Amino acid sequence: MKIKSFKSGMARWAAGATAGVFAALTVSAALAEDLTVYTAVEAEDLKKYAAKFNESYPDINIKWVRDSTGVVTAKLLAEKNNPQADVVWGLAATSLMLLKAEGMTEGYAPAGVDKLDKKFVDSANPPHWTGMDAWIASVCVNTVEAEAKGLPMPTSWKDLTKPVYAGHVVMPNPNSSGTGFLDVSSWLQMFGEGGGWDFMDGLHKNIAWYTHSGSKPCKQAASGETPIGISFAFRGAKSKAKGAPLEIIIPSEGVGWDMEATAIVKGTKKLAAAQKLVDFTVTMEANEMYNKGYAVVAYPGVAKPVEHYPAGILDAMIDNDFEYAAINRKAILAEWQKRYDSKSEAK
Amino acid sequence: MTDTVSTTITTSPAAPIRPTLSRDDIIMRLSMGAIAIFLIFAIILPLYTMLSKSFENKAGDFIGLQNFAEYFSTPALFLSIFNSLEISIIATFIVLITAFIYGYALTRSCIPLKRFFRLVSLVPLLTPSLLGGISLVYWFGNQGVAKGLLMGEKIYGPIGITIGSSYWVFPHVLMIVITALSITDARLYEAAESLRTSKLKTFFTVTLPGCKYGLISAGFVAFTLIFTDFGVPKVIGGNYNMLATDIYKQVIGQQNFQMGAVVSVVLLIPAIIAFTVDRIVQRKQVALLSARAVPYTPKSDMMRDTVLFLFCLIVAIIILGMVGMAQYAALVKFWPYNLTLTLDNYNFDVMDGGGWDAYYNSIRMGLYTAFFGTIVIFFGAYLVEKGRGFGAGRTALHMIAIIPLAVPGMVLGLAYIFFFNNPANPFNFIYGTMAILVLASVTHFYTVSHLTAVTALKQMDPEFESVSQSLKTPFYKTFSRVTVPVCMPAIFDVSIYLFMNAMTTVSAVVFIYASDTTLASIAVLNMDDAGDIAPAAAMALMIAYTCLAARGIHAVITWQLHKKTQAWRAR
Amino acid sequence: MSQQETFLKIQNLFKKFGDFTALQDVSLEVYEGEFVCFLGPSGCGKTTLLRAIAGLDIQTSGHIEQDGRDISALPPSERDFGIVFQSYALFPNLTILKNVSYGLENVKMPKAAIDARVTELLELVGLNDQGIKYPAQLSGGQQQRVALARAMAMSPGLLLLDEPLSALDARVRVHLRHEIKDLQRTLGVTTIMVTHDQEEALTMADRIVVMNDGVIEQIGTPEEIYSNPASAFVADFIGTMNFIPGKVSGTGSVLVGGASLNCKTDGFKEGDSVVVAIRPEDVNAQDMNEGDENIIELDVKYLEFLGSFYRADLGGDVLSGHELYADFSVNLVRRKNIEIGSKLPVRFPAQFIQLYSES
């Protein structure tokens, strides 16, 4: 009964925070329950996220399923006929677009979604996903190793194709890594279809190896396994904070980025609780929480500068066409694989 | 399934007799049926589902060989076959030769420290295969301490995979080689000596032919293990594609399950061929074994023993060096820039991969696998070996029990996704739970356990069952009062085998773990994947220490058992 | 053993393993309280027959009746027998007491009754002080006695012994033969023993069933079987028998090489090729009178001393190259000064000569 009253009172509920808290209390009293949440958010942040959420909704217990972007996406797709997740909180927007195209997401306009930057909200009505923060490509350079090997500091993507960097660059394989894919899609957008592949042909000559994960290149740069790792800014900042001799470079042409976003999985038996969670994910306090690691968040005006983040990264973010990326994903990956993923062609 | 024919006398003398089934017979047949259903659901149906997926498109329509056509027209994919074959063959030879010399030293020479060498050789069994790769990064990676030894070559790629594979397959091969070398008949050597045959000639005419089958068998085991292994190439493979990593990429990276199924089939074929040849060869070896042989006692030979001792020493140092380096790196603050010691890398909870929960999950999973696996496998083996009736059915059960040995873990795991994650499947509820991990582990390691149990059962008097029938005692009473106590050592062997393998396996579970059932071995994989290589090493070693502790407990229990049952195990 | 009631009746038993016929139309009656031996070479079907009687491997067709009850299709647990195997099959992890009481415990007999019965049984086999030991701590002979006690524990109507003595030392074997026989006589239990050892069969059995290739060759008392073997196979299998080819030369006479012997020729006609058989101990070298029939002079080719007697290898032109054995007492050899190379007239008593058709 309480559920019903909750549902019918939805419109009123969205109006004010007090009503929200009230409803939350009634619902949580009725449904102290587990919510299975799939995520690709860094493991070290999950506990903080859950704690913050439970401050507002103490009776919804989050059961995290954490893995890399590729794995989480694969898992969701594998479970298409029998979804195990209730909510996806913190997965690449391009992946969520893919899930949306497969009809696996539930349209829902969370309370307060209109406050978010339009860029961060699915254009459908109601939206199927809402963004949290942007995760931005950048290049991690190990200063110690670069100096030892006599490598000049690169300033642009094109720099990385110079022969001097041969065998010194590591990047994520776009087939398995979300970061890798956003790099490739950004290059194709910045340099054009032809220019983009030309650039990658050049880059491929210098690549030491492709990693499966997007954070690994930066971590390997941090430990000197490679002098240069193409990764994302957040990871670089973290490693730098740990004392790695890293310089985080923003290539002058601009950097690709993707959103971490949230969506409700279609067919969840816990829709009410799922909606509460999604409501929380778009709040200001949630965005402040995202800002601990990410310089760009969905809620305008919240973002404060993040320590060790390279300056000027916001201006360097390209005008990313997510539709393009999502629609062409399969073709791009197939082309990439054809060109670079076989030993016969690896130098 | 059962028919209780009345016992009225038929008048025609030629009428065939249809035996009346006792309650005992019926229970036994129902048990066989249960085991058969278990094996069908755990092995046959998942594999069938996986095979059929390789002929379907994404929507699930049958498209014939189209997926295979696509596979073979994509060089990036099918070239992996040659990579996998090349690496597997090279590494097989390396490990076979090394293991042969090592095993020869342990069985046919008088070198000191034999016990030590034997123990050290087992170390790679304690960790996931990933550890070898991780350790190689620290030794020979770009910041590796011994990078110079590679003379400019990269460890990431074929070299790394070959070394890493050789490392972790070594104990598997060594065990077979030692068995083969132990069964040679000393009388042949006495004959050779009395004929004044040179030592070298004796080696080629007596020693090698004597353990030929063992070596062939070891070679195929090594080949299959390397060919289907995922851990080593994942960590140290760099850009070098292997079939096992391809499946991972297709499934995890590209969500292309159909192509994953195709690669699985491609991976399955050589594994099955190798397995079949090995079976045939082993059958021949059994014939060799049955000969009445006199055990060989080596005589000391200064020159030979010195050379062999040095060889063993080097191998042992390499093995310990692999583990030692991983342990050192796990304790270092920030390789290579800050080498102060710390336990930070054990703070798994702030890292990808599932944290300490993953470790505890692994222990739980290992214990469940050991417990339930031993019960099912031993009882199954009992029914196959000592059961009555269903002769053809029992043979079929035995055949099915042998299949898992030929099925790579990843293939099994993928098959489990296809099969169990289908809402129409009555066992769908186990998907995403600990139960499916336990089931996958039990199935993946079924064969060796089954064969161990069968061997133990074969050594029991076949008339125990007849006697208990004549004493009107149901089979399950004799099973619990006699068979199980007598086979207790074998039962413990099976359970420790299952526990250790469940702790260390990556490939069987990598596709089917869920968030709250993440495992330590998966954590190793994921931490390495995310670049957290030191914590990955730390976790891998936690697995190793746990396995070691389990071994210790196993040894104590076995010893206690031996003491307790000494009275009736006399002779 | 006087004629008694039929206890076990086996009719037209067949047992096939695929194409192989292990039992071919076997029919047999065993009398109450009788000790019967199934004797034959390995693979003759004797164990198959025993296992069919026990229900351990039920026959393909044919019927078995025990004590008036048709048991043809019954599982072993619903039949009434105790069994002892060559391997003893004692449960190694159970004490002697527990082994003997194994079946009793299952039928919910009160503890005190079980204890009493086990004590009684162990006394019967002379092992009452060994109860708390484990099988491995006993000698082979002792273990087999425990197996016997266990088989008798439930007072079965039929005792089946499958080569019970074959695994034992020769000395123990002889000793245990008597014990088993005594026990069987004391208890009066109908017993069937499978053996390939003719001496065992001859000494223990009331009747012997000789089997070969899945068929019964002959059933009879030991004396009958020994002195009147029904076939060349039985003659050859039991004891030692000389076989020499010959030809029936007329009613009551047969030609062996150059010599003519008088004997019964029932069932044969003149000109038939036959095998002439006589046991070495029936070849007579003394008490001969002029004009006695069947006397032939032969050469002693070889003389083998076997302790209580000599076995002579006899031959000569008259046998056209064939040789035969004859057993002579030590006394006789000494008295007649028989040596290798000596010529010796020997007599072949007509009543001991058997003729078999050439097969």
Side-chain angles (χ1 to χ4, degrees):
Chain A
M1 281 302 106
K2 279 173 182 164
I3 299 169
K4 205 172 171 191
S5 70
F6 158 67
K7 271 190 178 168
S8 63
M10 184 88 92
R12 209 162 16 90
W13 195 76
T18 30
V21 170
F22 170 72
L25 288 173
T26 40
V27 169
S28 57
L31 305 165
E33 59 187 332
D34 287 344
L35 208 52
T36 304
V37 179
Y38 280 20
T39 184
V41 168
E42 299 276 310
E44 50 190 292
D45 290 336
L46 288 182
K47 291 202 169 142
K48 279 184 269 175
Y49 282 23
K52 199 85 185 165
F53 170 68
N54 284 339
E55 281 174 21
S56 311
Y57 302 94
D59 285 325
I60 297 178
N61 177 36
I62 295 181
K63 277 180 68 191
W64 292 112
V65 176
R66 203 219 86 83
D67 223 310
S68 70
T69 308
V71 176
V72 175
T73 315
K75 233 183 174 53
L76 283 160
L77 285 168
E79 296 164 358
K80 183 177 173 183
N81 295 327
N82 187 27
Q84 307 287 313
D86 299 306
V87 177
V88 182
W89 183 10
L91 187 66
T94 37
S95 286
L96 287 178
M97 286 174 199
L98 190 72
L99 297 176
K100 181 187 164 192
E102 297 276 336
M104 294 174 62
T105 53
E106 178 87 39
Y108 172 64
V113 70
D114 42 330
K115 296 213 177 87
L116 297 186
D117 187 336
K118 287 278 167 298
K119 255 198 305 198
F120 282 83
V121 182
D122 182 20
S123 54
N125 189 23
H128 280 247
W129 53 264
T130 47
M132 298 153 57
D133 46 52
W135 132 61
I136 310 163
S138 49
V139 181
C140 298
V141 181
N142 184 313
T143 50
V144 176
E145 295 304 316
E147 199 172 320
K149 295 191 164 61
L151 305 178
M153 198 56 74
T155 60
S156 67
W157 290 117
K158 296 258 160 112
D159 275 357
L160 293 179
T161 62
K162 290 179 180 162
V164 65
Y165 297 113
H168 295 316
V169 185
V170 171
M171 78 167 275
N173 184 332
N175 275 310
S176 54
S177 153
T179 308
F181 180 69
L182 76 84
D183 288 328
V184 172
S185 101
S186 74
W187 294 328
L188 292 171
Q189 291 178 51
M190 284 187 293
F191 304 137
E193 192 86 9
W197 289 115
D198 284 348
F199 164 74
M200 281 183 264
D201 286 346
L203 183 64
H204 180 67
K205 290 200 180 73
N206 288 348
I207 294 288
W209 58 80
Y210 295 97
T211 66
H212 293 266
S213 119
S215 49
K216 195 170 187 176
C218 200
K219 285 187 181 165
Q220 289 191 324
S223 65
E225 262 318 284
T226 179
I228 300 170
I230 297 174
S231 184
F232 53 100
F234 169 72
R235 191 65 256 166
K238 289 240 167 181
S239 291
K240 208 169 166 179
K242 281 189 183 164
L246 279 188
E247 194 67 52
I248 303 168
I249 304 290
I250 306 296
S252 55
E253 297 97 330
V255 286
W257 58 283
D258 199 343
M259 284 176 275
E260 287 195 301
T262 304
I264 296 174
V265 177
K266 190 172 225 153
T268 170
K269 293 183 189 79
K270 297 165 180 170
L271 188 62
Q275 289 176 340
K276 296 184 129 3
L277 177 60
V278 174
D279 286 339
F280 170 78
T281 64
V282 301
T283 58
M284 190 152 104
E285 53 180 326
N287 276 270
E288 280 166 352
M289 178 172 81
Y290 307 148
N291 185 226
K292 292 278 188 321
Y294 293 87
V296 179
V297 297
Y299 204 103
V302 163
K304 293 192 193 87
V306 175
E307 200 198 359
H308 296 303
Y309 248 65
I313 194 165
L314 300 189
D315 303 325
M317 285 165 71
I318 64 164
D319 189 12
N320 201 354
D321 184 348
F322 290 109
E323 293 289 323
Y324 166 84
I327 291 166
N328 293 302
R329 188 171 192 271
K330 204 177 167 190
I332 293 171
L333 289 178
E335 178 68 19
W336 190 92
Q337 176 164 300
K338 207 179 96 194
R339 282 173 182 257
Y340 313 122
D341 203 16
S342 77
K343 191 209 168 193
S344 61
E345 292 182 36
K347 52 166 177 152
Chain B
M1 168 178 133
T2 55
D3 46 351
T4 331
V5 172
S6 68
T7 55
T8 47
I9 302 167
T10 31
T11 42
S12 159
I17 291 290
R18 305 192 64 187
T20 312
L21 296 180
S22 63
R23 192 169 144 263
D24 199 35
D25 288 321
I26 293 168
I27 295 172
M28 184 174 261
R29 285 171 189 224
L30 287 175
S31 310
M32 285 182 206
I35 293 284
I37 288 170
F38 171 83
L39 289 176
I40 287 169
F41 271 84
I43 301 168
I44 302 295
L45 293 178
L47 283 181
Y48 171 77
T49 316
M50 199 224 43
L51 283 178
S52 58
K53 280 282 170 189
S54 67
F55 298 106
E56 288 173 6
N57 64 13
K58 245 187 170 136
D61 308 317
F62 181 81
I63 52 165
L65 290 172
Q66 212 169 304
N67 289 329
F68 288 88
E70 192 189 331
Y71 178 84
F72 285 103
S73 58
T74 316
L77 288 174
F78 80 81
L79 286 175
S80 302
I81 299 177
F82 302 109
N83 289 351
S84 280
L85 282 175
E86 193 183 329
I87 295 274
S88 307
I89 290 169
I90 295 173
T92 296
F93 273 102
I94 292 177
V95 78
L96 204 54
I97 292 167
T98 317
F100 181 78
I101 302 175
Y102 200 90
Y104 189 84
L106 290 182
T107 51
R108 302 293 180 81
S109 79
C110 297
I111 60 164
L113 300 179
K114 273 188 189 173
R115 251 183 100 75
F116 166 78
F117 286 134
R118 203 178 262 252
L119 285 176
V120 168
S121 74
L122 297 176
V123 166
L125 290 178
L126 301 173
T127 62
S129 58
L130 299 153
L131 184 91
I134 292 174
S135 200
L136 285 176
V137 171
Y138 286 114
W139 276 112
F140 301 110
N142 289 339
Q143 295 297 329
V145 294
K147 192 187 168 217
L149 290 179
L150 286 183
M151 292 177 293
E153 292 294 324
K154 274 196 309 185
I155 192 73
Y156 296 98
I159 298 179
I161 304 176
T162 308
I163 302 176
S165 302
S166 306
Y167 164 75
W168 86 270
V169 171
F170 181 70
H172 297 265
V173 174
L174 183 67
M175 284 190 281
I176 303 173
V177 168
I178 285 182
T179 313
L181 282 168
S182 311
I183 59 169
T184 305
D185 195 339
R187 291 172 302 182
L188 293 173
Y189 289 89
E190 282 158 15
E193 205 172 332
S194 66
L195 293 169
R196 294 171 196 271
T197 316
S198 77
K199 277 180 185 161
L200 195 68
K201 194 166 174 204
T202 308
F203 179 82
F204 283 106
T205 52
V206 179
T207 309
L208 271 188
C211 57
K212 153 177 88 180
Y213 294 125
L215 287 181
I216 295 173
S217 178
F220 280 110
V221 166
F223 175 85
T224 314
L225 287 175
I226 298 167
F227 191 76
T228 60
D229 176 50
F230 159 73
V232 174
K234 177 79 179 67
V235 174
I236 199 88
N239 288 348
Y240 198 76
N241 291 329
M242 302 269 283
L243 286 172
T245 44
D246 278 355
I247 300 183
Y248 185 74
K249 261 194 265 181
Q250 288 297 332
V251 173
I252 301 294
Q254 305 186 32
Q255 298 101 49
N256 191 342
F257 292 95
Q258 283 67 32
M259 199 48 80
V262 170
V263 187
S264 294
V265 173
V266 173
L267 189 65
L268 199 51
I269 292 168
I272 286 183
I273 294 174
F275 163 83
T276 314
V277 176
D278 178 46
R279 283 277 109 193
I280 296 167
V281 167
Q282 277 193 0
R283 208 163 295 160
K284 291 194 173 164
Q285 185 167 22
V286 171
L288 206 73
L289 253 170
S290 58
R292 204 172 263 250
V294 177
Y296 178 82
T297 334
K299 295 189 206 90
S300 74
D301 174 333
M302 199 55 193
M303 175 73 182
R304 178 200 65 193
D305 290 351
T306 313
V307 171
L308 289 175
F309 179 74
L310 288 177
F311 182 86
C312 288
L313 197 62
I314 291 168
V315 173
I317 287 172
I318 291 175
I319 291 173
L320 292 177
M322 294 287 266
V323 187
M325 176 54 92
Q327 180 59 84
Y328 174 63
L331 291 171
V332 155
K333 194 150 208 162
F334 200 103
W335 184 278
Y337 302 110
N338 183 352
L339 297 181
T340 49
L341 297 181
T342 172
L343 286 176
D344 283 358
N345 290 322
Y346 285 83
N347 196 3
F348 299 129
D349 284 342
V350 301
M351 287 173 228
D352 288 350
W356 279 102
D357 283 350
Y359 174 69
Y360 299 125
N361 279 341
S362 262
I363 292 183
R364 276 201 305 148
M365 206 275 272
L367 291 175
Y368 288 148
T369 302
F371 182 75
F372 294 110
T374 306
I375 291 175
V376 171
I377 293 168
F378 188 77
F379 189 54
Y382 171 81
L383 291 174
V384 164
E385 184 58 32
K386 305 277 181 187
R388 298 190 298 270
F390 283 155
R394 281 189 285 133
T395 311
L397 278 191
H398 187 64
M399 299 297 283
I400 299 175
I402 302 289
I403 292 176
L405 196 60
V407 180
M410 296 190 95
V411 176
L412 189 71
L414 191 60
Y416 271 31
I417 301 189
F418 291 141
F419 183 65
F420 286 106
N421 190 31
N422 176 351
N425 186 322
F427 295 102
N428 173 249
F429 65 90
I430 74 165
Y431 189 72
T433 65
M434 185 62 94
I436 196 171
L437 297 177
V438 173
L439 183 65
S441 303
V442 170
T443 308
H444 188 38
F445 302 110
Y446 199 100
T447 308
V448 173
S449 315
H450 173 80
L451 294 178
T452 309
V454 165
T455 309
L457 287 164
K458 270 194 201 296
Q459 286 165 359
M460 291 187 68
D461 195 320
E463 306 298 8
F464 284 167
E465 278 64 34
S466 305
V467 165
S468 88
Q469 281 190 81
S470 78
L471 296 173
K472 309 188 193 314
T473 307
F475 81 91
Y476 47 85
K477 280 211 176 145
T478 305
F479 176 74
S480 60
R481 278 194 69 185
V482 179
T483 315
V484 169
V486 171
C487 291
M488 220 30 156
I491 290 174
F492 278 121
D493 285 349
V494 167
S495 53
I496 187 76
Y497 170 85
L498 287 173
F499 178 81
M500 285 180 56
N501 278 296
M503 283 295 289
T504 55
T505 186
V506 177
S507 58
V509 290
V510 70
F511 291 135
I512 49 176
Y513 70 93
S515 64
D516 48 351
T517 57
T518 317
L519 302 169
S521 56
I522 297 294
V524 175
L525 172 74
N526 285 340
M527 288 193 279
D528 172 77
D529 211 6
D532 294 325
I533 177 166
M539 184 65 101
L541 286 159
M542 285 307 298
I543 296 175
Y545 297 137
T546 310
C547 290
L548 206 58
R551 268 259 168 231
I553 294 170
H554 173 255
V556 170
I557 291 177
T558 310
W559 181 71
Q560 289 283 354
L561 189 76
H562 185 77
K563 234 175 53 177
K564 229 178 93 186
T565 61
Q566 216 165 16
W568 58 266
R569 274 189 211 285
R571 274 183 303 179
Chain C
M1 190 79 20
S2 59
Q3 201 73 345
Q4 280 178 327
E5 253 178 87
T6 299
F7 182 72
L8 191 73
K9 192 170 178 186
I10 296 163
Q11 289 171 296
N12 310 105
L13 227 54
F14 284 83
K15 176 74 183 176
K16 293 195 164 92
F17 297 105
D19 288 339
F20 175 73
T21 305
L23 291 178
Q24 173 99 37
D25 200 11
V26 168
S27 297
L28 168 72
E29 287 186 7
V30 176
Y31 308 118
E32 177 111 45
E34 196 181 20
F35 193 121
V36 169
C37 272
F38 293 172
L39 176 65
S42 60
C44 71
K46 58 191 189 296
T47 297
T48 310
L49 181 57
L50 189 84
R51 293 182 75 89
I53 294 169
L56 293 169
D57 285 310
I58 291 179
Q59 69 278 14
T60 313
S61 68
H63 286 276
I64 304 176
E65 231 176 84
Q66 181 178 342
D67 207 9
R69 186 169 70 126
D70 182 18
I71 58 165
S72 309
L74 293 182
S77 54
E78 286 169 38
R79 301 189 184 199
D80 176 27
F81 70 96
I83 191 163
V84 172
F85 292 101
Q86 177 181 348
S87 61
Y88 329 133
L90 294 178
F91 303 127
N93 61 320
L94 303 181
T95 59
I96 302 311
L97 285 171
K98 286 286 170 193
N99 261 286
V100 176
S101 64
Y102 196 81
L104 301 172
E105 284 172 16
N106 196 52
V107 293
K108 308 270 183 308
M109 203 190 247
K111 179 111 188 25
I114 293 179
D115 289 348
R117 176 78 180 137
V118 170
T119 312
E120 181 191 353
L121 287 160
L122 286 180
E123 240 161 60
L124 203 60
V125 296
L127 290 171
N128 31 352
D129 51 344
Q130 308 285 323
I132 52 160
K133 287 191 179 169
Y134 288 98
Q137 293 166 315
L138 301 187
S139 71
Q142 287 173 317
Q143 290 191 50
Q144 198 55 299
R145 275 185 256 167
V146 176
L148 206 57
R150 182 177 64 180
M152 291 309 299
M154 302 176 79
S155 313
L158 180 63
L159 178 61
L160 304 176
L161 308 172
D162 186 2
E163 305 255 8
L165 304 173
S166 303
L168 299 169
D169 296 343
R171 202 179 268 273
V172 183
R173 204 183 307 169
V174 172
H175 182 66
L176 210 53
R177 255 188 226 162
H178 293 288
E179 276 196 40
I180 292 179
K181 184 69 189 162
D182 284 349
L183 190 75
Q184 190 264 342
R185 226 177 256 136
T186 319
L187 299 173
V189 60
T190 312
T191 302
I192 298 175
M193 181 171 94
V194 160
T195 180
H196 64 269
D197 182 336
Q198 41 142 331
E199 199 177 300
E200 220 166 88
L202 291 171
T203 51
M204 293 173 79
D206 295 324
R207 282 194 305 153
I208 295 174
V209 177
V210 185
M211 294 182 71
N212 187 34
D213 284 340
V215 298
I216 293 178
E217 294 269 346
Q218 187 173 9
I219 305 176
T221 63
E223 294 78 10
E224 279 166 3
I225 300 268
Y226 190 84
S227 50
N228 281 310
S231 66
F233 170 80
V234 177
D236 188 30
F237 191 74
I238 314 252
T240 311
M241 183 70 92
N242 290 304
F243 290 104
I244 309 164
K247 199 166 236 149
V248 178
S249 51
T251 307
S253 76
V254 67
L255 207 59
V256 178
S260 177
L261 295 175
N262 293 336
C263 63
K264 268 195 222 141
T265 55
D266 301 354
F268 295 98
K269 61 181 192 306
E270 190 177 335
D272 281 355
S273 287
V274 293
V275 178
V276 179
I278 187 163
R279 296 205 183 271
E281 66 267 29
D282 293 333
V283 178
N284 207 330
Q286 55 186 336
D287 312 326
M288 266 173 282
N289 303 310
E290 288 281 326
D292 277 356
E293 57 173 13
N294 294 351
I295 294 177
I296 308 173
E297 195 181 62
L298 293 170
D299 301 331
V300 178
K301 300 261 182 189
Y302 190 75
L303 209 54
E304 198 177 13
F305 179 56
L306 290 172
S308 53
F309 66 94
Y310 281 93
R311 175 156 291 174
D313 218 352
L314 305 177
D317 294 341
V318 69
L319 288 182
S320 31
H322 294 289
E323 292 185 2
L324 55 83
Y325 294 128
D327 291 349
F328 300 135
S329 71
V330 179
N331 182 294
L332 177 75
V333 171
R334 219 177 277 142
R335 195 151 40 83
K336 291 216 157 191
N337 213 6
I338 301 173
E339 295 168 352
I340 297 174
S342 53
K343 282 197 181 299
L344 189 69
V346 288
R347 189 166 70 92
F348 296 87
Q351 72 268 33
F352 297 135
I353 296 176
Q354 315 264 351
L355 297 189
Y356 301 106
S357 55
E358 222 179 33
S359 58

